[in-house]
Every structure is written in structure tokens, then in C-alpha cells.
Amino acid sequence: MKNDKSLNELIRKAIVENWDTMALSDLGGVNFQYKDVAEIIAKMHILFEAAGLKPGDKVAICGKNSATWSTIFLSCLTAGMVAVPILHEFKADMVQHLVNHSGSKLLFVDAAIWENLDETAMPDIEGAIYITELGMPFSRCARLDEVHANLNKYFGEKYPSAFEKNNVVYYHDKPMELAVISYTSGSTGMSKGVMLPFMSFWSNVQFCLDNLEFLKRGEGVVNMLPLAHLYGLTIDMIHPFCKGCHLHFLTRLPSPKIILKAFKEVKPALIVTVPLILEKIIRNNVFPMLDKPIMKLLLKVPYLDDKLLGKVKDKLMESFGGNLNEIIVGGAPLNPDVEAFLIRIGFPVTVGYGMTECAPLISYAPHTLFKPKSVGKVVDRMEVKIDSPDPENIPGNILVRGENLMLGYYKNEKATKEVMSDKEGWMNTGDVGILDKENHVFIMGRSKSMILGPSGQNIYPEEIEAKLNMLPYVSESLVIEDGGALVALIHPDFDATTSQHLSEDEIDKIMDDNIKTLNALLPAYSRVSRYKIMDVEFEKTPKRSIKRFLYQP
């Protein structure tokens, strides 16, 4: 029976309809047309068969973003294998644990990562294959050895005439069939294996195809988010691939300088990012210019202010490549001051909301319909409910259900029941927020990070941090409770303090003033009592959220 909600059919159609156009590129490296991707997928399927793999078997992928990483992932889906993306920043023992925990039978890995792994600690894998050059440093399977060594011969035997569009035939995926196990690296604790069916990916991709119509086939996309994380994987990779776009992968650490250079080269219509990257670009490149006395004066003059802000917008649009239709920010809320500024100048930015367990989308609205301080409207085929007596005004736990939802946590029934115990299929996101009449979601914070005030008030540290992060020389911050008092952990912008030749005493004086300024903006029950300087950046998850649990007293 035909499946109208087939992810593999979307992938197949994209390949066939864009056969001779560019598909995947590493900036400064390899380039694949859609027909090249199809050929590599066909060869991977031959290797899977040689290793004795069958639909439903697990294949782990651990490496940096690349065109080949994407092709291997698509090979897994189109063969009916369960892909297990593993973040390349994980330490060796964690990689080995996740390979074993998932029951993966094959491991695709970067050569630099493999050097630190021990094959004897992963007894169930049939072999390990390098992602970049597809070399094989280890195998326990003679047949896999033989086929890998003569892959082109076996490919030629399977397709003796030529490899054509009609040879692109893929596994018929079923909606609730397991497609991916994604191991979260959350801000509140240990990794859990999120089991995501084909349906959840299809629903996310179909939503993007239906609602991001400004992104046209053939257009360039800059992929800077980790593919081992669902936001980068689904919205920034699978979706534009299925649309027939040309994906460009950063092969180096995505610093603002490297990212802006890539934007200039690719000229993307859509940019998918996390707040930290966008905020750094705005705070480093725009706010210092607007903070000059002459600029402050001009911004107060009617007509001139609009003209000036129009020029700021034009310059900003140019720095993002000059072809931008929309920036979607996700993974965490955008700083309110940055958001307000971007809205004031008419910059095409919007904020979405999601989580790994929803692969990832929960809410989104185009920038033309975006409500300030919201995270968009509930997406198609999903529902949101607020566990509150007054969902529009009194914050409560955000509950979700729908076609994007996970099957549960792999080999962890206890954790599954903790979030999906509702008999009607609702899942508790762990976030706290409100929902207006038009289905716009507003997030107050994580329920696990919420602090109870002295008189029972709910204090959301994220709201305090957003204000603190906009004050002079603050790079990032974390507000915690210690002995009944609120304490701000502050990582200063040491690049800026060094360029200004500021001493430790001068930095302390600035931070003292910052706390006074901050507290003047806050109600008495949520004021910060003291602060502590952090010499190094906070440890973060793949979506650049601070791992709060590491800094609790």
C-alpha cells in the first residue's frame, strides 16, 4: 500500500528531479551533484548488505558536518536502517557507550575520532568506516572486507549498463517505523536516546516545504548547526535537500568571521541558527556603532532615525549575503533587546521552538506574522496545551502531542513514562509558558531551572540572564540559587576587556555597576545578591544551551 507520508519518497523525488544540479558541498572541499549522492547511497546499500544488515538495524555516525556525513545519513534512511547520529565532541568513552547502548552494527567515524576509540570496547559492530574517504580501518566481517575492497566492481555488477534515475528505488518506510535514535545532550542531565519514527521527520520536512516557500530549488544554504542535533539535521539539511537546494557545509569551527565569509560566498535566502551566533554578530558589529554619542543623538531626530536605521538594516542584510528572506532562530529564546532592535529595523528574523523529542518543531511563524517575545505558532499536525487554570495568563508546563512526537526513550521505559504518562498522548516538554488565543507560544523558562522566590514567586533565571547579558563586557551568564540567594555567574567578554587594557579591578568595578543596573530593572524578589567571575565559557549542549546542571551548588 502506498504511503502518502513517506520521507524516503521525498528524498527519492528530490534526487530524481534535481539529478544534474548541485546538492552537497564542503566549503573549500568536495562537491556532489544529486546524481552523485544517489550513486554513493547505492554503494552504501551494497556495503550494508555485505555486513549482513537488515532494515531496523542500527548504524552509528560520529563525525564533523560534511557532505559525506549527510550522504551516509540519507543512505541509512533509504535502506530502512536506524541512523544513530553521535556528536563528534563527545569523549571516546561516551562514543563507545552510545554505540553499544544503541546496538549499532556499523560505525561511520572521522579518522581523528577513531584514533581514540577502542574496537574491543565495541564488540557488536561489524566494522568501522571512515566518513570522509570511506576507508575501512576495522572489520570483523570477511564479506564486508571483500565487498569494501572491490566496491566499484560490485556496483558495476549490480548496475551493468549505467546508473540512471530509474535505479533510484528506496525502502518503503512506514509512518511509525523507527528511523533515528538521537542521543540528547541536554541542559539538565545525562543523554537519553530519543526514538524518532519516519513520520516525525516527514511531518517536519513537509511543514517546511509548505511554509518556507521563499526558499527555491537550486538556492544555496549554509549549514552551520551540528547534524547530530535535530535542528540542524531536519530543518537545515533534510528539508532543503528535499527541496532541491545546494547545501554548503562549514568544515571549520563556525566562528562569526567564518560564518559571515560563507554568507558572502553562498548568498543564502534562509539562515537557520541559534541565538548565540546571531547575538554575537549583532552585539559585536552593530551595537558598538549605535552606542557612539553622535549616533545616539541622530537616532532621536524624527525622520533621520528611520533613515539611519534603514542604512543599518541594509548593511546588516549585506553582511548576511544580500539575498536573505528570513533568519530562523531556535534552540533558545533570542535576547529581548536584540529581538526588539531587529524588529525595529524591520529585519526578517523569527524565532521557532522545538525539542529533540519532536524532531524538532513545535512552533514557528514567518517573520511577517511573528509576535515579539513569542516562539511562533503551533505547527501543522501538532497540538500544544498549557497545564494551567488560565493558559493565556498563568504559566504552566507546556504539553505537546501530534505527528512530530517521538516513540519514547530507547531502553528507558522509566524516563519515557515520566514525560509521556498521559493516557491521551500528551508529552510534558519540561518548559513553562503560556499560549494565546491565536496559538502563539510564549516560553518563560525550563520548569527544572525555575527558582521559587521567598514568598512563593516563580523566578525564571533565563529572564534575568537575558537582561544581564546585554550589559557592558558580559559575554554570557548563569543565575543560580545558593543558600536562598540569587547568584550570577558571569563570563566576561575577555576579548573586549583585553583590547581596552582593563585590569581585574576595573572589570570587577564594571560588574559591580552591572549588578546595580540589573537589580534596578528587577522586582525585589528576583534581584541578584552577588556575582562570581567565570574565567572560561560555560559548557554547552549542541544547540549552544548552557548545561545548567553542571553549575548548581
Side-chain angles (χ1 to χ4, degrees):
M1 189 174 76
K2 186 185 175 187
N3 174 19
D4 291 330
K5 297 182 175 182
S6 169
L7 178 64
N8 281 341
E9 178 57 16
L10 289 179
I11 294 168
R12 187 198 69 80
K13 279 182 67 179
I15 289 172
V16 170
E17 291 175 4
N18 299 282
W19 191 253
D20 290 312
T21 60
M22 292 303 302
L24 309 172
S25 294
D26 292 339
L27 279 168
V30 299
N31 298 286
F32 297 143
Q33 292 181 310
Y34 276 84
K35 62 184 177 185
D36 300 324
V37 173
E39 184 172 319
I40 297 170
I41 287 174
K43 289 180 177 178
M44 291 302 100
H45 289 181
I46 292 170
L47 283 181
F48 293 158
E49 188 179 343
L53 272 61
K54 297 179 176 58
D57 284 340
K58 284 79 175 178
V59 176
I61 312 170
C62 184
K64 292 181 180 179
N65 285 11
S66 68
T68 316
W69 193 110
S70 302
T71 306
I72 291 164
F73 176 83
L74 295 171
S75 301
C76 293
L77 293 183
T78 52
M81 306 300 162
V82 178
V84 183
I86 298 175
L87 194 68
H88 72 275
E89 284 109 336
F90 281 156
K91 292 180 179 171
D93 57 349
M94 176 60 88
V95 173
Q96 289 164 182
H97 165 70
L98 297 181
V99 169
N100 292 333
H101 184 270
S102 64
S104 293
K105 294 192 174 177
L106 207 57
L107 169 63
F108 287 87
V109 63
D110 282 351
I113 295 171
W114 177 253
E115 285 178 11
N116 297 310
L117 299 181
D118 176 8
E119 60 266 29
T120 63
M122 298 177 286
D124 296 331
I125 61 169
E126 293 295 328
I129 299 173
Y130 290 143
I131 291 173
T132 308
E133 300 298 334
L134 298 177
M136 193 164 66
F138 171 73
S139 171
R140 290 188 173 100
C141 175
R143 176 64 179 165
L144 179 60
D145 275 337
E146 156 65 18
V147 172
H148 178 268
N150 301 281
L151 187 55
N152 287 332
K153 183 189 89 168
Y154 284 98
F155 179 78
E157 288 175 358
K158 188 169 183 178
Y159 306 101
S161 301
F163 186 76
E164 303 287 355
K165 294 179 184 180
N166 63 302
N167 298 125
V168 181
V169 179
Y170 292 149
Y171 178 77
H172 294 288
D173 51 306
K174 302 174 189 67
M176 299 311 290
E177 190 174 7
L178 183 60
V180 170
I181 298 176
S182 177
Y183 284 93
T184 65
S185 179
S187 57
T188 56
M190 274 299 288
S191 295
K192 294 189 287 283
V194 179
M195 296 189 291
L196 294 163
F198 278 94
M199 168 74 83
S200 61
F201 286 97
W202 173 85
S203 182
N204 272 273
V205 172
Q206 191 61 52
F207 176 83
C208 293
L209 294 175
D210 293 340
N211 291 278
L212 304 181
E213 294 177 327
F214 59 83
L215 182 66
K216 308 297 184 186
R217 60 189 290 183
E219 285 194 296
V221 173
V222 176
N223 300 78
M224 53 187 161
L225 299 176
L227 291 171
H229 184 263
L230 268 293
Y231 187 28
L233 180 67
T234 307
I235 312 304
D236 213 19
M237 193 277 274
I238 305 175
H239 147 239
F241 182 89
C242 288
K243 191 165 271 183
C245 295
H246 182 188
L247 284 60
H248 299 77
F249 298 94
L250 301 179
T251 53
R252 297 162 61 191
L253 191 69
S255 68
K257 186 177 179 182
I258 290 171
I259 291 168
L260 290 173
K261 185 183 176 193
F263 291 157
K264 187 177 181 181
E265 183 178 328
V266 177
K267 304 185 186 321
L270 170 68
I271 293 173
V272 179
T273 187
V274 291
L276 191 67
I277 293 173
L278 181 59
E279 286 167 12
K280 272 191 174 180
I281 291 170
I282 301 298
R283 286 167 65 183
N284 293 345
N285 296 3
V286 179
F287 281 0
M289 177 179 65
L290 297 179
D291 209 34
K292 292 176 180 176
I294 185 67
M295 294 293 277
K296 283 184 175 180
L297 183 65
L298 292 173
L299 286 171
K300 291 178 181 177
V301 180
Y303 175 70
L304 269 180
D305 61 341
D306 288 340
K307 200 163 186 178
L308 192 61
L309 290 174
K311 288 190 175 181
V312 171
K313 178 189 173 183
D314 291 343
K315 187 173 181 182
L316 201 53
M317 291 288 282
E318 187 183 336
S319 69
F320 284 102
N323 186 43
L324 183 64
N325 271 270
E326 186 166 274
I327 288 185
I328 304 175
V329 176
L334 190 60
N335 182 282
D337 288 343
V338 173
E339 181 183 291
F341 168 75
L342 292 173
I343 289 171
R344 184 184 175 191
I345 67 171
F347 192 73
V349 65
T350 188
V351 180
Y353 168 49
M355 59 192 304
T356 303
E357 288 82 349
C358 295
L361 281 182
I362 295 172
S363 62
Y364 159 85
H367 72 275
T368 51
L369 301 174
F370 176 64
K371 271 194 179 181
K373 299 182 181 178
S374 79
V375 287
K377 290 180 70 171
V378 181
V379 299
D380 301 345
R381 296 173 291 278
M382 286 294 284
E383 297 175 79
V384 167
K385 180 171 76 171
I386 306 297
D387 187 11
S388 159
D390 184 2
E392 288 184 56
N393 300 296
I394 300 175
N397 283 328
I398 300 173
L399 310 178
V400 297
R401 71 177 178 185
E403 293 188 7
N404 291 8
L405 207 55
M406 70 170 180
L407 301 172
Y409 296 114
Y410 190 57
K411 297 179 182 176
N412 197 336
E413 196 173 333
K414 180 175 178 288
T416 302
K417 285 181 178 177
E418 284 175 1
V419 298
M420 298 181 73
S421 56
D422 189 283
K423 291 179 181 177
E424 296 179 350
W426 293 100
M427 186 191 80
N428 188 344
T429 64
D431 291 319
V432 174
I434 56 176
L435 185 71
D436 72 10
K437 285 178 180 164
E438 296 172 322
N439 253 5
H440 286 93
V441 180
F442 296 80
I443 297 175
M444 316 306 291
R446 292 284 298 171
S447 58
K448 288 185 180 178
S449 63
M450 188 190 77
I451 298 168
L452 202 61
S455 300
Q457 308 96 331
N458 291 341
I459 300 170
Y460 299 102
E462 295 92 343
E463 294 180 352
I464 303 172
E465 292 155 10
K467 290 179 170 63
L468 180 54
N469 289 347
M470 292 308 296
L471 295 176
Y473 298 102
V474 177
S475 177
E476 55 184 0
S477 64
L478 193 67
V479 174
I480 62 172
E481 182 186 25
D482 188 6
L486 294 182
V487 180
L489 309 180
I490 301 172
H491 175 59
D493 185 345
F494 285 119
D495 288 341
T497 60
T498 302
S499 69
Q500 294 297 316
H501 308 291
L502 298 178
S503 67
E504 284 188 27
D505 288 343
E506 287 172 317
I507 293 172
D508 286 340
K509 174 65 171 64
I510 290 169
M511 295 306 161
D512 286 339
D513 292 341
N514 283 345
I515 296 300
K516 287 174 186 173
T517 303
L518 173 69
N519 284 337
L521 302 171
L522 299 170
Y525 65 82
S526 65
R527 286 176 184 157
V528 171
S529 296
R530 62 184 189 275
Y531 69 89
K532 179 184 176 184
I533 298 290
M534 308 294 286
D535 291 331
V536 296
E537 275 193 31
F538 295 104
E539 193 168 331
K540 299 182 183 69
T541 70
K543 64 179 184 180
R544 305 297 291 166
S545 299
I546 295 170
K547 293 186 176 182
R548 310 186 76 94
F549 67 96
L550 295 177
Y551 301 94
Q552 298 305 317

